[in-house]
Amino acid sequence: MTFPPARLQEHPRERPDVGPGVLTVALFAVAAFGVLGLALWFGGGTPRPAIEGLPAPDVVTMVGLPAVRLLHDVCAVATVGTLLVSLWAPAEQAGRIARSAGPWALGWAASAALTEVLTLSDFLALPVPETLSSGVLPTFVFHIPQGQAFTLVGLLALVIAAGAYLPLGTGARAGLTGLGVLAVLPPAYVGHSASAADHNLAVSSLMLHIAAVTLWVGGLYGLVTRLRGPVAAVRRFSALALCCFTAAGFSGLVNAWIRVGDPTQLWQSRYGLLVLAKIAALAALGWFGWRHRRRTIVALSSGGGSRPFLRLATGEIGVMAATLGLAVALSRTAPPEASGGVGHQHELLGYVLAPFTPGGLLTVIRPDPIVLFAVVGAAVAYLVRVRRLAGGWPAGRTVAWLIGSLVLLYGLAGGVAAYGPAVFSGHAAQYALVGTAGPALLALGAPLSLRLAVVSRPLSHPLTALGLYAAPYLLLYLTGCFDLAQSSLAVRLVAQAVVVVTGTLFFAVALGVDPLPRAIGVSIRVRTLLGAAAVQVWIALLLFTGPPQGAGWYALLDLPWAPERAGDQRFGALLGPGISLAVIIVLLALLLGRSRAARRRLADQKGG
């Protein structure tokens, strides 16, 4: 596959190297598959002689499964990276670059289908022809989590392939890129980390790790083969790469700690040695990034040409490719045996939870890597923006944003996050914090003024914002989604992200700290906040008088120390909406006080 090089706008006299796409892909393949073979041999994942009398997959499966899985990952990375750099390309090139992601997405879908067949062959310990003739494949595809995951990936990849050929605008291409990032996550959710000692933490860290690596590796690949290093795009990617490096390193260490357990296993087991090799590769990639920031980006900015950047980036892609091969081999290597077992509640919750005590709300924590990275990253981004203003930014806004970030951290990773899936009142308190209190404080921090977010005109309508604020609670408590959100880590994370985003949007519209695309009077803002109060009253009445929520989930959980469920739901009906109502009342008072102060200033100016 060849890639037509983009024109070097900054240096029109500089001729790009011949065939950069072919050379880069060749380097990628040699490094990735070479390291994959070596790591499989070292970790014990290569084919072994079959034991007489026992079923075993054939050599095609033993060799083909890791190879196809690596091909699957490469296609995913190239698809997402190509779509990503299309967002940075000039308008006349963006559509062509996005279309070039189509073949990669088709390869992604095809490799997902092959992975399903080979994975089933590996599960059944049967050669591929016998696996296909067994009649088990439909059951595996539609009813077994591993099969369902790759079926979903294949379908999403086909959607991305179709979308890549459409004449999409920047927003639609950004959505397609985001869909690509989501499409790499299902295998992580059902992979080996799902059986780790703390599988919620292991799965979250692995999903964050894979998403960061996909954007990082894919973005650099697209930058080198499609844009050929324009300085504006390189600067954008450099900021993204730093975030991805931090996320990949942090989440990778968390996942390795869970999987390895005893630190001595890092050098006493083959799995641990492969982990150390991956850490060394990450350190090497950190050096590449440092070198780019110190040398090649400076050369680009000063008119020194893109050749130094492209040469160093091509070597970096080789190391990244080798790391992808190492990661696939690591997934085929058995980790050290963990000591101890897991109890009934551990298997359902995904972690060990001590009996509830009021003090446990302060001492028990559930540090989710995705949550930590998102909230801390947003706080850091806010502080960086404020610092660039060089004064003039109200300190109260910064304080509000930071306190809101702390509220979200506690609500998403503190005691209420730990007990929320097991105790309804904990869930109610959690949603009051992450859906109302935290977002209100974030909105008081004026993130739109710092360009940390953008609100379109349709979303800035008060009725739209109020509807989005109420919608998650309607879905949770009226459609039966509550059980799913309590029992599934992925659904729970999505639901929590939705209430944070919709809550922040609502309070940004209702409070008017930020300038919006439409003018909204104080009386309308007051009525909008009163509408939110009515939503919370409705939630309280529904929970207090309505049917039990999560009865099936709590029956399966069967915690011996759990409170009486009906009484706990009534307590939660008062606790969660009560917290939210208190916050809304304070905001109403703040809004009315600010309005009176503005009228007095206007009257003073007229009188003067």
Side-chain angles (χ1 to χ4, degrees):
M1 183 177 292
T2 59
F3 300 89
R7 182 168 56 90
L8 294 175
Q9 295 183 346
E10 288 92 338
H11 309 286
R13 296 181 181 177
E14 189 174 313
R15 295 178 60 85
D17 297 333
V18 177
V22 173
L23 294 176
T24 304
V25 171
L27 175 65
F28 206 111
V30 170
F33 285 96
V35 170
L36 172 64
L38 288 174
L40 284 173
W41 167 78
F42 180 80
T46 52
R48 296 182 179 181
I51 300 175
E52 187 176 354
L54 294 179
D58 57 8
V59 176
V60 173
T61 297
M62 295 296 294
V63 175
L65 180 55
V68 170
R69 183 59 194 271
L70 178 57
L71 179 63
H72 170 276
D73 293 349
V74 168
C75 290
V77 163
T79 300
V80 174
T82 304
L83 290 171
L84 177 66
V85 298
S86 75
L87 304 177
W88 303 333
E92 64 272 13
Q93 298 179 16
R96 176 178 56 80
I97 292 175
R99 285 193 297 274
S100 66
W104 283 115
L106 291 174
W108 188 5
S111 59
L114 283 175
T115 300
E116 285 189 294
V117 173
L118 293 171
T119 301
L120 180 59
S121 172
D122 193 38
F123 280 176
L124 298 179
L126 292 174
V128 171
E130 294 182 28
T131 298
L132 293 174
S133 62
S134 66
V136 181
L137 185 59
T139 301
F140 179 74
V141 167
F142 295 110
H143 300 288
I144 304 301
Q146 286 81 358
Q148 291 172 330
F150 282 101
T151 299
L152 179 59
V153 170
L155 292 174
L156 292 177
L158 289 175
V159 171
I160 293 169
Y165 289 104
L166 297 176
L168 303 177
T170 302
R173 281 184 278 112
L176 208 59
T177 305
L179 184 64
V181 175
L182 290 176
V184 303
L185 301 181
Y189 191 72
V190 299
H192 288 168
S193 289
S195 60
D198 191 331
H199 68 74
N200 274 15
L201 188 56
V203 167
S204 291
S205 61
L206 185 59
M207 289 195 296
L208 176 60
H209 186 78
I210 290 174
V213 168
T214 299
L215 287 170
W216 184 15
V217 179
L220 185 62
Y221 165 79
L223 196 62
V224 170
T225 62
R226 296 299 178 183
L227 293 184
R228 302 290 287 154
V231 63
V234 169
R235 287 190 176 278
R236 287 185 178 184
F237 176 75
S238 178
L240 175 65
L242 179 60
C243 295
C244 290
F245 173 79
T246 305
F250 169 66
S251 57
L253 289 174
V254 170
N255 197 267
W257 170 65
I258 295 170
R259 300 289 286 163
V260 173
D262 185 357
T264 61
Q265 292 296 326
L266 284 173
W267 56 86
Q268 292 180 357
S269 67
R270 290 179 181 264
Y271 184 93
L273 291 172
L274 289 177
V275 169
L276 289 177
K278 198 174 176 185
I279 293 174
L282 183 66
L285 292 172
W287 177 85
F288 276 104
W290 174 82
R291 187 77 174 177
H292 279 305
R293 285 176 171 267
R294 292 294 298 271
R295 297 292 179 87
T296 65
I297 296 178
V298 174
L300 271 174
S301 302
S302 61
S306 62
R307 221 174 267 272
F309 168 78
L310 293 174
R311 287 174 179 169
L312 186 63
T314 301
E316 186 178 4
I317 287 176
V319 177
M320 287 176 166
T323 307
L324 287 179
L326 184 59
V328 172
L330 197 61
S331 70
R332 300 285 297 171
T333 303
E337 290 290 335
S339 60
V342 292
H344 177 59
Q345 82 237 32
H346 184 285
E347 295 173 0
L348 293 174
L349 287 173
Y351 53 92
V352 175
L353 185 63
F356 175 79
T357 60
L361 294 175
L362 299 176
T363 59
V364 177
I365 59 172
R366 284 302 307 160
D368 187 289
I370 296 176
V371 167
L372 292 176
F373 191 78
V375 177
V376 174
V380 171
Y382 186 95
L383 293 175
V384 169
R385 293 279 191 179
V386 170
R387 183 180 179 184
R388 289 178 179 175
L389 292 178
W393 185 256
R397 293 182 176 182
T398 303
V399 171
W401 181 273
L402 294 179
I403 294 177
S405 299
L406 290 175
V407 170
L408 289 183
L409 275 179
Y410 174 72
L412 296 170
V416 291
Y419 287 102
V423 180
F424 184 86
S425 55
H427 155 83
Q430 181 187 28
Y431 272 63
L433 294 175
V434 304
T436 299
L441 288 164
L442 295 185
L444 289 172
L448 303 183
S449 300
L450 292 177
R451 297 183 181 179
L452 290 176
V454 178
V455 175
S456 65
R457 185 176 178 84
L459 291 179
S460 65
H461 193 285
L463 289 179
T464 302
L466 180 60
L468 290 174
Y469 176 74
Y473 303 99
L474 289 169
L475 291 174
L476 271 178
Y477 302 131
L478 292 182
T479 65
C481 288
F482 180 80
D483 285 62
L484 188 60
Q486 291 291 83
S487 60
S488 169
L489 172 64
V491 176
R492 188 159 66 247
L493 288 174
V494 170
Q496 291 166 356
V498 167
V499 296
V500 171
V501 172
T502 56
T504 304
L505 169 67
F506 170 76
F507 287 109
V509 171
L511 297 178
V513 178
D514 277 310
L516 296 171
R518 66 174 72 239
I520 303 175
V522 174
S523 61
I524 295 178
R525 296 185 192 278
V526 169
R527 287 197 289 269
T528 303
L529 285 173
L530 290 174
V535 168
Q536 293 299 331
V537 171
W538 168 81
I539 293 170
L541 291 173
L542 173 67
L543 296 177
F544 199 88
T545 63
Q549 298 287 335
W553 162 247
Y554 292 132
L556 285 174
L557 203 58
D558 193 26
L559 294 172
W561 49 264
E564 192 271 321
R565 293 299 180 183
D568 184 57
Q569 180 168 319
R570 289 192 293 270
F571 177 61
L574 298 176
L575 178 64
I579 294 173
S580 297
L581 280 173
V583 171
I584 292 171
I585 290 170
V586 171
L587 293 175
L588 275 169
L590 179 65
L591 180 62
L592 292 173
R594 192 173 62 190
S595 175
R596 285 194 294 268
R599 287 198 299 268
R600 283 197 298 269
R601 285 195 300 269
L602 183 61
D604 292 341
Q605 291 173 1
K606 289 181 178 180

